[in-house]
Amino acid sequence: MTAFSIKTFAIAMALGAFAAPASAQTAATPWELKSDMGYAYDKDGKTFSYKMGTSNAGELLKGAKKVPKGTLFFIGHNGQLYMRSGPYLEGDGKFKFGPDQ
């Protein structure tokens, strides 16, 4: 299996979170990540999931980087995937970049 970085894994998961219509969600919902799955965002912007094994776990971790806590992933108007570190919640816990009320 081709090695996937943790960043690629997180990016693919972010894409899955944005696949649901934003208007259908009024509150944050947790991701359901599985430890035995790999998630990819390929060069054409498509997402894939792969069942992973343990025989080459060492190779998988080579070059992988941890995603910092407090990272937000989103799709821009141009269809490009972005990530942003830093605050994304208001002081009252509401999403800072939510729909206009």
Side-chain angles (χ1 to χ4, degrees), residues 18 26 28 72-74 88-90 92-99:
F18 291 110
T26 57
L72 175 69
F73 299 93
F74 60 96
Y88 53 87
L89 297 178
E90 299 286 353
D92 60 2
K94 290 184 182 176
F95 185 56
K96 190 183 252 187
F97 307 103

Side-chain angles (χ1 to χ4, degrees), residues 12-14 19-20 27 29 31 33 35 45 47 52 59 63-64 68 70 74 93-94:
M13 289 310 301
T29 56
W31 290 354
L33 305 178
S35 60
T47 58
M52 294 182 5
E59 185 178 344
F74 60 96
K94 290 184 182 176

Side-chain angles (χ1 to χ4, degrees), residues 59-91:
E59 185 178 344
L60 175 68
L61 291 171
K62 287 181 185 175
K65 297 177 184 173
K66 292 181 183 179
V67 175
K69 292 180 181 178
T71 301
L72 175 69
F73 299 93
F74 60 96
I75 304 292
H77 289 290
N78 59 0
Q80 178 64 47
L81 178 67
Y82 293 92
M83 62 183 274
R84 176 187 193 273
S85 294
Y88 53 87
L89 297 178
E90 299 286 353

